[in-house]
């Protein structure tokens, strides 16, 4: 079934998606500050897996089609990477805060560009390599090594960015053989299985109000992915992908006004450099794709 292209709707859906992701990160930061991260992410994945099952059951071919991956081992690796990345990033929120965690995490498109050659065999031109180098200068500005304020915790979101970049590259790799809904199914189910195997051993009873926050976190997890899927259905990825960076200012506002975090000048400048470099790499990828058509 074909879907009518509507770039304006896709843009608004992507903006909404980034807002929900930012709220989701704020909820995760709050809950992980009081409860074990493994349990919080496990509960989130339970709801996500249920959402995936409902969504898949309504697609042509149903569950049988979704299970039928031609690259099951790579799909499992993708699901494992994303689950671990979420856990690591939530730990970063608790240790470093939303503002600085997202400033460092914004490097993931640069990591994707840098690793696309050795992993996918794609060519990366000198302009994108220059942008990658500039982007990591921005990371150095954020981290300020050698100025007496560098914290080891800053490496947590950097590790999460690397894992998310690998997840993104593997997603592009399996897309050569598997449909998007197949990858979506394996992502949710693999994550739920992995997180249950770990999180069930860290079960803690939740207090009344936090049960509500946990329920809201689960709902935002499902809603954000639904919006993201719809955005990519109605608009070209090249038109809306740069908008993913809006999660950085949205998360920053939540960090500043909800959690009382501060925004250091070097973090603002470094994040600006990273985002500019990232948007440039996305634009160059778009230009290259157009030339190949």
């Amino acid at each position: 079934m074909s879907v009518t292209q509507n770039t304006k709707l896709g843009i608004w859906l992507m903006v909404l998606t980034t807002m929900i992701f930012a709220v989701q990160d704020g909820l995760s930061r709050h809950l992980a500050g009081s409860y074990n991260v493994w349990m919080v992410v496990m509960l989130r994945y339970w709801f996500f897996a249920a959402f995936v099952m409902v969504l898949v059951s309504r697609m042509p071919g149903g569950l049988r089609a979704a299970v039928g991956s031609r690259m099951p081992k790579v799909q499992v690796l993708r699901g494992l990477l994303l689950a671990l990345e979420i856990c690591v990033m939530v730990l970063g929120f608790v240790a470093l805060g939303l503002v600085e965690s997202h400033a460092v995490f914004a490097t993931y498109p640069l990591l994707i560009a840098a690793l696309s050659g050795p992993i996918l065999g794609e060519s990366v031109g000198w302009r994108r390599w220059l942008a990658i180098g500039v982007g990591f200068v921005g990371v150095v500005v954020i981290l300020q090594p050698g100025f007496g304020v560098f914290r080891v915790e800053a490496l947590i979101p950097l590790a999460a960015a690397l894992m998310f970049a690998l997840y993104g590259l593997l997603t592009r790799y399996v897309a050569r053989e598997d449909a998007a809904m197949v990858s979506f199914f394996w992502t949710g189910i693999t994550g739920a299985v992995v997180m249950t195997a770990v999180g069930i051993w860290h079960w803690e009873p939740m207090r009344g109000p936090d049960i509500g926050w946990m329920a809201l976190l689960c709902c935002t997890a499902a809603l954000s992915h639904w919006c993201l899927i719809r955005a990519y259905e109605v608009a070209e990825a090249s038109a809306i992908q740069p908008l993913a960076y809006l999660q950085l200012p949205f998360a920053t506002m939540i960090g500043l006004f909800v959690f009382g975090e501060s925004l250091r000048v070097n973090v603002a400048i470094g994040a600006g450099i990273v985002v500019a470099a990232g948007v440039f790499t996305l634009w160059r990828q778009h230009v290259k794709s157009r030339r190949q058509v």
Side-chain angles (χ1 to χ4, degrees), residues 90-275:
V90 173
L91 286 171
F93 294 154
V94 176
L96 204 65
L98 291 174
V99 176
E100 297 194 20
S101 291
H102 271 285
V104 176
F105 186 75
T107 57
Y108 79 85
L110 302 174
L111 291 168
I112 288 177
L115 296 172
S116 61
I119 294 179
L120 298 180
E122 297 178 356
S123 61
V124 181
W126 68 268
R127 294 178 183 85
R128 280 196 286 167
W129 276 118
L130 180 61
I132 291 166
V134 170
F136 282 100
V137 168
V139 175
V140 172
V141 172
I142 294 170
L143 301 183
Q144 282 190 324
F147 287 86
V149 294
F150 175 73
R151 290 192 289 167
V152 176
E153 291 92 334
L155 298 178
I156 299 175
L158 190 59
L162 176 59
M163 284 188 280
F164 192 71
L166 291 172
Y167 164 79
L169 288 166
L170 291 179
T171 298
R172 279 159 57 175
Y173 180 72
V174 297
R176 298 171 178 176
E177 299 288 342
D178 291 342
M181 192 51 64
V182 173
S183 293
F184 191 55
F185 171 81
W186 281 81
T187 299
I189 301 305
T190 300
V193 171
V194 170
M195 291 313 306
T196 299
V198 178
I200 202 70
W201 303 103
H202 300 278
W203 185 268
E204 301 175 60
M206 280 192 164
R207 294 180 291 276
D210 289 332
I211 295 175
W213 292 122
M214 189 70 233
L216 183 58
L217 174 61
C218 291
C219 290
T220 58
L223 180 60
S224 60
H225 281 89
W226 182 86
C227 290
L228 189 62
I229 291 170
R230 285 291 297 150
Y232 283 120
E233 281 181 345
V234 301
E236 292 185 4
S238 59
I240 62 176
Q241 184 59 42
L243 295 171
Y245 275 116
L246 288 174
Q247 187 176 347
L248 174 57
F250 288 145
T252 297
M253 286 189 287
I254 292 174
L256 293 175
F257 297 112
V258 177
F259 294 100
E261 299 176 14
S262 59
L263 177 59
R264 292 184 290 133
V265 174
N266 67 292
V267 174
I269 295 173
I273 295 172
V274 169
V275 170

Side-chain angles (χ1 to χ4, degrees), residues 11-26:
I11 288 172
W12 282 112
L13 282 169
M14 194 64 175
V15 171
L16 179 60
T17 299
T18 58
M19 290 178 64
I20 298 172
F21 275 143
V23 171
Q24 188 175 300
D25 290 342

Side-chain angles (χ1 to χ4, degrees), residues 236 238 285-293:
E236 292 185 4
S238 59
Q285 179 63 37
H286 171 64
V287 171
K288 181 183 175 183
S289 299
R290 283 295 178 91
R291 287 174 179 170
Q292 293 174 344
V293 173

